[in-house]
Structures are given as structure tokens and as C-alpha cells.
Amino acid sequence: MIGPEEPEHNHEPEVRATQLPGRGQDANDPHFGESLGHAEGRNQTLRQTYGTEDRQLNLRLLALARGAHDLRSLDAGRPGGLPIEVWHGLLTEDRLNLAPYRKPGSNRRGSGSALALGPLAAVQLYTTNANPLIEGKGHSPLCRHVQHSAAVVRGDDLLAVADLMARTDSDWCSKCGGYALRRLTDTQLSYYRAAHRLHDIKEQLDNQTGVPDADPSAVIASLDELATWQPADEAEWGGSESWQWQETVRELTRMAARSHAVTRPS
């Protein structure tokens, strides 16, 4: 059912350094958020697997493991579970930037946009300890400070991104950030990128003094594009979430139009 898949690139050690994913910080960068997604998970598994036969096996294991609802169920309680290369394909220690989903004024580095978490709400986080009242900081299962082999085990804790947003009492490891994020599907990554584009526009319009940083016409064109965003599966996009998204786009479009009216030559 899962046939051989040829690697897209040569992943020998001497060329791996040139194939690391883009780390663009601009939400309009085509590589923005790339390290969080399934495609980069597959690439990570390939980069860390050297034998050709092992590559094909690990890709099959990765495809099968992605179907598990709870990755803790993959703990067989004995040595010889999933290879570490597969775990890096399933999980990432890179952090989500949740600024677009926070309330205005709640983000120390800037104002949030209060967007709905939408498809990101149920994204899973795995940690060795989610309870700060229990001795020991929470670690990512991939953290080198974890005693057992790098993997999710039955005794780990499972949270969702929505749970993380609601908490202020976490005690995380400063090295790994405390948890590993389950890699985003294409829909989740698409929404993450769209939300950051919308948030960046809001910050730009909120912070304008005098002449805007960008052509308001280009901003309005971007907003028109963002207004059409919706997930492939509409069941992941609740009525209130869709309404909130559209209302934010409409308000920013009005702000951009007012800016255009002010800066347009008389």
C-alpha cells in the first residue's frame, strides 16, 4: 500500500548543509513556517537516514505513524521502537508564534490580533511533564535531557495548542522549550501563514504615522486575497471562526482605504 518513494534530493552528508529549510521571518516569505510542516518532517527523516534501504523503510514507518491519533500509543514498552529519524519526521521542537491569536495588548512584543486558532486549536504537543506542581521541568521527548531514548512514551503528557494558549503556569526546560509539536498538516500550515500575513498587516496599519510603509493599494490587494482563505475541509472552519476572520479582513481593508485616502495626492 505504501510503495517506494525516491528522495527528491541527494541527502548524503556532504550536501546536507545546503538543503536546510528556509527560515524567513517575513510572513510573505514562501518559506515562512516551513520547518513546522509535514513536508519538512519527511525531509528531516531523509536527511538523518543514510542507508538507501533504511530511507525507504523510514518513509513507510513515517507514513504509518502519522495515522496514529495519539503518538503515545506507539510506545511498545520495549526497545527497538520507531527510529529517532522517524520521530524527527513526526515532531518538531520549533515553536509556533502565537501572536496573531492572542488578545490585543497581551503580547509583550506587540499587540495580538485575537484571531481564532481555527485548525491549529487541536494541534498536539508532547511533553515529559505538563504539571508544574510535579517535580521536574517539562521537556520535549526529543530533548537530550530526557532519560529514555528520544521518543514519545506512554508516560508523557499530551496537550493541544488551545490548552497551551490558556495556561500561564507551565514550567518548561529552557533548552528545548518544554515540548515537541506534532508537525502541521498542509491545511494547518496554510492557516498559520495566512494568519501571520493578516497579523502583519494589522500591525503595519496600527503603527502607521504619516506616510505608510507600503502602498495601500498593495495592502488592499493582499487583504482581498486573504479574504478568500478557507481550509480544504470546511468542517475545520467553524461559523464563528469564519465570521471573525472576515470581520478582521473587512476592518483592515477599511483602515487601508482610509490611509489611501489620506496619502493620495489631491
Side-chain angles (χ1 to χ4, degrees), residues 97 99-100 107-113 196-209 213 252 255:
N97 180 346
N107 183 9
R108 287 178 299 176
R109 295 185 179 179
S111 180
S113 293
H196 272 274
R197 288 180 62 194
L198 198 61
H199 177 64
D200 281 1
I201 291 173
K202 181 179 183 300
E203 284 196 320
Q204 179 183 329
L205 293 172
D206 284 345
N207 296 332
Q208 277 183 9
T209 54
D213 294 333
L252 294 179
M255 291 174 64

Side-chain angles (χ1 to χ4, degrees), residues 209-227:
T209 54
V211 180
D213 294 333
D215 178 8
S217 298
V219 172
I220 291 173
S222 294
L223 289 167
D224 288 342
E225 178 188 345
L226 290 168

Side-chain angles (χ1 to χ4, degrees), residues 32-42 66 89-92 94-98 101 117 119-125 161 181-193 196:
F32 179 80
E34 184 177 68
S35 64
L36 302 168
H38 274 188
E40 179 55 24
R42 173 188 176 279
R66 280 178 175 168
L90 291 169
L91 301 168
T92 176
D94 286 1
R95 304 273 77 82
L96 286 174
N97 180 346
L98 297 173
Y101 317 102
L117 281 171
L120 298 176
V123 173
Q124 295 176 343
L125 313 169
V161 170
L181 180 79
R182 190 160 183 172
R183 290 188 177 274
L184 304 184
T185 65
D186 290 345
T187 293
Q188 291 163 347
L189 182 54
S190 174
Y191 179 63
Y192 182 70
R193 286 169 166 164
H196 272 274

Side-chain angles (χ1 to χ4, degrees), residues 25-159:
Q25 297 302 306
D26 186 339
N28 293 297
D29 189 302
H31 297 296
F32 179 80
E34 184 177 68
S35 64
L36 302 168
H38 274 188
E40 179 55 24
R42 173 188 176 279
N43 291 339
Q44 283 288 350
T45 294
L46 287 174
R47 286 190 192 101
Q48 297 181 31
T49 307
Y50 297 104
T52 301
E53 293 182 0
D54 291 337
R55 288 177 187 161
Q56 299 301 333
L57 173 60
N58 284 348
L59 286 176
R60 288 179 172 88
L61 290 173
L62 177 60
L64 289 169
R66 280 178 175 168
H69 174 68
D70 185 342
L71 296 182
R72 295 175 298 181
S73 66
L74 301 177
D75 178 14
R78 61 179 184 273
L82 286 178
I84 181 58
E85 297 86 356
V86 176
W87 282 110
H88 280 281
L90 291 169
L91 301 168
T92 176
E93 289 183 292
D94 286 1
R95 304 273 77 82
L96 286 174
N97 180 346
L98 297 173
Y101 317 102
R102 300 191 187 281
K103 295 179 181 179
S106 63
N107 183 9
R108 287 178 299 176
R109 295 185 179 179
S111 180
S113 293
L115 297 174
L117 281 171
L120 298 176
V123 173
Q124 295 176 343
L125 313 169
Y126 292 88
T127 178
T128 59
N129 179 16
N131 187 348
L133 299 180
I134 296 178
E135 183 179 0
K137 290 182 179 294
H139 294 272
S140 158
L142 303 176
C143 181
R144 60 186 177 86
H145 292 150
V146 177
Q147 297 300 315
H148 57 74
S149 60
V152 174
V153 297
R154 290 177 185 174
D156 288 339
D157 291 331
L158 170 61
L159 298 171

